[in-house]
Amino acid sequence: MDRGTRAVRTTTTGVAVVLVGLVAAGCAAPGTAPPRPVAVVVSGAPDCTTSTDAWLVPEAGAEPTAPPPPEAGSVPDDFEPVSAVRCDGTTDTVDDAEGRWSARLETTWTDDLAPLLAALAVPDETSSGIVACTADMELVPDLWLADAAGRSLRVAWPRDVCGKTLPGTQEALGSLSVASERLVKVSLAETRAALDAGCATRASLPWALKAGIVTDLVVPDDGVSDDGLSGSGGGTTTGPAVPAPPLAPPLLPDPGALDRACVYAVDPPAEPAAGSSAPEAEGEGVAGGSAAAASPPGGTFVRVVELPDGLGARLVTAAATPSTPELEACGTAAAAFVTFPDTAPGATVTSDPRLTAELDGCGRLLTSDGGARPFPEELAAPLRG
């Protein structure tokens, strides 16, 4: 690809997401920080699957999808790179026989890298005084260098006094011709079986309403809240349980669009981390602001069931009945549940279908607004397999 004619891709290179204004005020002349540590050199080519993306937060207790990358740093004096590789986050995906993968965009340069090496050798800036910094989050991609001997390293981007990357490195890359670009598979997001069935690989039960909600009220300095509750001032006091406020009727799918049920096996409960307390039992009130409620149970796709003629209409009719407080507060765990997508198979999979039902446990038909009503046995039986 010729210099200056590179197509624009959907990546996050050099993106800064503005959150708020300034986090500090004042001014001081920047200085020079101590030398960066030397990067760790490893055998093998650059590996974008190990990129340390700051915007990707793994689920609690999730196993890492790849080994950690080598420590980034400055280029060793005896390392002579012949190529540079940048690993950008992207919303693009890769489909293959296994399913649909999340991906990173791997861009390679093989030009004379002298301008890039010069930019990477610039020391970090530092300051002994107060500086003005914007509270934005810069998404910095991993940048690798590789030599002719098949070794590689992850290089550190020079940074200013606010921790943002100095512009020289990105400008140097922009002056080089791109040798190649490709999407690199990172983790399997949707299995082939789920994709072919028109189901999500992972799903979870929606939040159910509680018959009583306990709310923490912040007591102001005068010791009296707007609700008339008194306290010691400046702290919190817990108000009485109050009934859930009435909600608008749930949005229900078109019965004619319901042609299948996606069946999920509920995941076993996660073991609490050492030193942590067990999550509060489902069905008990949770004080808002003082403790986080346990997440709704999730499950893994097992199979798809074609809905018999007329069952979609009966489902929507059942879901239109008023929510039942006793079922909203039910705490009996389900081992399996189903979702009812209203999208055509092969279309984008809906992650939050409007109807979900438990095949055991409380046996509830749940709507996306948190309502719960009985799931009629004559509707549940054909879905159990």
Side-chain angles (χ1 to χ4, degrees):
M1 186 177 297
D2 293 336
R3 187 175 306 171
T5 61
R6 180 185 174 196
V8 176
R9 300 297 295 270
T10 305
T11 68
T12 54
T13 303
V15 173
V17 181
V18 177
L19 302 179
V20 294
L22 298 179
V23 295
C27 60
T32 300
R36 289 184 291 270
V38 177
V40 174
V41 179
V42 295
S43 298
D47 186 359
C48 284
T49 66
T50 65
S51 288
T52 53
D53 296 325
W55 62 93
L56 296 179
V57 181
E59 295 182 5
E63 293 293 328
T65 58
E71 192 71 26
S74 61
V75 182
D77 292 337
D78 60 350
F79 189 87
E80 298 183 5
V82 295
S83 63
V85 174
R86 189 180 63 201
C87 306
D88 289 304
T90 176
T91 57
D92 292 338
T93 57
V94 176
D95 283 18
D96 63 11
E98 295 181 78
R100 179 166 297 155
W101 297 75
S102 64
R104 291 189 182 92
L105 178 63
E106 179 186 279
T107 306
T108 302
W109 293 267
T110 56
D111 275 354
D112 177 10
L113 301 180
L116 175 62
L117 295 176
L120 291 171
V122 173
D124 294 338
E125 292 180 353
T126 187
S127 174
S128 58
I130 298 175
V131 297
C133 296
T134 57
D136 51 6
M137 181 179 64
E138 183 182 15
L139 307 181
V140 182
D142 278 358
L143 182 60
W144 294 73
L145 299 176
D147 67 7
R151 302 180 304 162
S152 61
L153 59 84
R154 200 164 59 95
V155 70
W157 296 66
R159 297 179 182 264
D160 63 17
V161 292
C162 294
K164 310 293 173 53
T165 58
L166 294 171
T169 301
Q170 191 59 42
E171 291 172 355
L173 288 171
S175 71
L176 304 177
S177 296
V178 173
S180 65
E181 283 185 336
R182 65 174 184 138
L183 289 173
V184 178
K185 296 188 300 184
V186 176
S187 59
L188 188 64
E190 302 287 350
T191 64
R192 176 49 56 191
L195 282 175
D196 291 346
C199 300
T201 301
R202 299 274 310 157
S204 46
L205 290 165
W207 288 100
L209 297 173
K210 303 298 181 183
I213 298 176
V214 178
T215 307
D216 278 354
L217 301 176
V218 177
V219 178
D221 291 338
D222 60 8
V224 180
S225 73
D226 293 339
D227 298 78
L229 295 175
S230 62
S232 58
T236 62
T237 185
T238 301
V242 295
L247 297 176
L251 294 175
L252 299 176
D254 176 3
L258 300 178
D259 60 358
R260 65 195 185 281
C262 304
V263 184
Y264 297 86
V266 173
D267 302 328
E271 294 291 333
S276 65
S277 58
E280 189 171 355
E282 186 179 348
E284 297 179 2
V286 177
S290 62
S295 298
T300 303
F301 174 74
V302 176
R303 66 183 183 279
V304 64
V305 178
E306 183 177 350
L307 296 184
D309 290 341
L311 196 143
R314 294 160 66 192
L315 276 170
V316 173
T317 299
T321 61
S323 185
T324 307
E326 292 78 9
L327 284 178
E328 292 169 6
C330 179
T332 304
F337 65 91
V338 294
T339 64
F340 300 97
D342 57 356
T343 56
T348 301
V349 178
T350 304
S351 59
D352 54 348
R354 295 174 179 176
L355 291 181
T356 306
E358 297 167 320
L359 294 180
D360 48 24
C362 298
R364 300 176 292 188
L365 178 60
L366 301 160
T367 45
S368 57
D369 64 342
R373 65 278 301 152
F375 187 35
E377 176 60 26
E378 64 270 20
L379 303 183
L383 306 178
R384 293 199 177 98

